[in-house]
Amino acid sequence: MDKQIRNALKEGLADASGFVIGSLAGWALGRQLGLDFFAAPDAFGWREMAGLALIALGCGVGKVVARRMITPRPAP
């Protein structure tokens, strides 16, 4: 496999896994704080919107953390 393709595959898998794991972590944090986005399926109050914001924040943070984990560190 070509090195460029391997790097693209590694970045894609890191992005996808970071996105999913981060969103699940944000959802779990929201549930712990009582801000469950999926608690009331027919009403969207401030608690559900805050839960959605935590899920979105988790997605972004998870992606950034996953990308940083795959980047090579400079030699000291």
Side-chain angles (χ1 to χ4, degrees):
M1 187 182 310
D2 186 43
K3 185 176 181 177
Q4 186 177 10
I5 293 173
R6 190 176 326 127
N7 285 340
L9 180 63
K10 189 166 50 167
E11 286 179 7
L13 288 174
D15 286 350
S17 62
F19 188 83
V20 170
I21 292 169
S23 65
L24 289 173
W27 177 55
L29 178 64
R31 288 192 63 190
Q32 291 294 321
L33 296 174
L35 305 171
D36 191 5
F37 177 66
F38 300 107
D42 59 343
F44 291 106
W46 72 270
R47 289 186 180 274
E48 288 81 17
M49 291 297 110
L52 180 60
L54 284 174
I55 292 171
L57 182 67
C59 289
V61 170
K63 182 181 176 213
V64 169
V65 168
R67 275 288 181 112
R68 286 195 178 168
M69 287 178 67
I70 66 166
T71 56
R73 293 194 169 74

